[in-house]
Amino acid sequence: MAKGSVPSAVINRLCLYHRCLEEIRGAEGGKDKLNYVSSSKIAAMTGINPAQIRKDLTYFGEFGKRGKGYPAVDLLRELEKILGLDRKWSVIIAGAGNLGKALVRYKGFSSRGFLIEGIFDQDPLKIGKKIGHIFIYDVKEMDKFIRAKDIDIGVLVVPAQSAQEVAEKMVEGGIKAILNFAPARIDLPAKIRIHNVDLSFEFEELTYYLSQ
Amino acid sequence: MAKGSVPSAVINRLCLYHRCLEEIRGAEGGKDKLNYVSSSKIAAMTGINPAQIRKDLTYFGEFGKRGKGYPAVDLLRELEKILGLDRKWSVIIAGAGNLGKALVRYKGFSSRGFLIEGIFDQDPLKIGKKIGHIFIYDVKEMDKFIRAKDIDIGVLVVPAQSAQEVAEKMVEGGIKAILNFAPARIDLPAKIRIHNVDLSFEFEELTYYLSQ
DNA sequence: TAGATTGTTAATCGATTAACAATC
DNA sequence: TAGATTGTTAATCGATTAACAATC
């Protein structure tokens, strides 16, 4: 879809533009479907340089009209296509701790196309119970489950010590991408996409700036 | 402390080095206190270029010995000083939802110097209750509380619509930094440090790569 | 001394932004 | 046409990395 390789900062900003356009659509009540939005309008809303915005978009196509701007609704749809938000994704969560629980109930999921198909834990006291309407299964079943249900994304919310092991089990099942909340670096075959979300880093960066 | 301004990517990597050194200390059982660690050893563990590591460290001082490397324990302590991990920080959490609950119970806090002093919500059913051993207070009391207890860091886990308003209340109380989990951009005076952690962006970036 | 590794410079690489021709 | 705004080039800026003298 994109010409050449796209810096990951671009993808991050695309998410921002997407949210910004949703906001615009919300504000306008979806009435006037042919409204145009300019790069400088998006710039004002996001704080990103307008030239940057235009450049980011041209990685993926020419969506604008010179002299007018970008057709807002069309651009929103294009961004959804680019970001893979125009389809459903199946997700499992490994780790039925507090953070796992919070993620199951996280609104951002259901509103996008993320379907949580199951939760996995090794604690016999948790297995068989439910969080919301999602069952908790034995982590031993995880690879079979992933294969059978063709799960796309695995979310790792297990303790640091078991992160590598559980991640490998996900890969055995044929998972395509992993979002890792465990404070541990994970080594997996390069074809598996891993994103690390490290909450303690967020706090440590903050205290760095407070200490200055 | 640092000479000139330090790119935020450097601070992020410093967190990584810090964790790496903790791991080394853990592995060695704290015995041989004068062990040296070289930039290439840290590089092998973190995947960061050794020249990068040396450069990052020289923003803050000369911690190494030519021909030997860096004294591991000393460097660990220096990093803790730089990152502000050698002292206590007081924290409040605004929003007693699922994510708020998970954060209160997050182990990464207590093990570092982060003290959660209170949780704030506007739901009368929640006010007065506890999560773990931390009380939930009325969000109306928040600014008074921040001032009285000299709170350093506010964690925002409220819905997007109320994020700006609650953040402003934190600033009124004299908060120094905010960690924002609400999917909303917040405008505050420049002296307040804000970090945004946007979980839906993490997922959207992942689905971008899966779509390719 | 010989080997190792730092701190630092200089070269490279990549990302951001200003400027402007194209064009609606 | 005149005004506006894109898509794109070229200039700038900043970050990464290779190389090496200093030195343990």
Side-chain angles (χ1 to χ4, degrees), chain A residues 25-147:
Chain A
R25 185 184 54 183
E28 294 183 353
K31 288 173 297 185
D32 196 342
K33 290 222 158 195
L34 275 170
N35 266 352
Y36 283 82
V37 60
S38 67
S39 57
S40 54
K41 169 121 194 242
I42 301 176
M45 290 179 72
T46 58
I48 309 270
N49 179 297
Q52 177 91 266
I53 295 171
R54 298 199 296 277
K55 186 117 209 252
D56 288 347
L57 293 173
T58 51
Y59 276 104
F60 299 95
E62 302 194 1
F63 304 123
K65 271 209 176 33
R66 287 163 200 240
K68 307 211 77 180
Y70 299 89
V73 177
D74 291 357
L75 183 57
L76 180 60
R77 262 198 285 266
E78 289 290 348
L79 286 174
E80 274 167 4
K81 211 152 67 177
I82 294 165
L83 294 172
L85 301 174
D86 59 342
R87 49 156 287 185
K88 304 275 183 215
W89 297 96
S90 57
V91 177
I92 58 164
I93 294 184
N98 291 301
L99 191 52
K101 251 183 251 180
L103 287 173
V104 171
R105 296 190 153 119
Y106 181 57
K107 292 281 158 51
F109 279 133
S110 33
S111 70
R112 302 267 186 275
F114 296 102
L115 304 171
I116 300 177
E117 302 280 6
I119 306 160
F120 292 84
D121 206 293
Q122 38 111 274
D123 181 350
L125 292 174
K126 290 177 178 168
I127 295 166
K129 297 230 173 75
K130 278 173 150 193
I131 297 175
H133 60 290
I134 319 282
F135 268 109
I136 303 175
Y137 303 98
D138 191 331
V139 71
K140 288 194 192 112
E141 319 273 315
M142 193 172 61
D143 53 327
K144 251 187 293 174
F145 188 98
I146 293 170
R147 206 171 300 115

Side-chain angles (χ1 to χ4, degrees), chain A residues 19 83 112 198 200 204 207, chain B residues 19 83 112 198 204 207:
Chain A
R19 174 169 299 159
L83 294 172
R112 302 267 186 275
D198 203 313
S200 51
E204 290 171 17
T207 54
Chain B
R19 174 168 301 159
L83 294 171
R112 301 267 184 277
D198 202 313
E204 289 171 18
T207 56

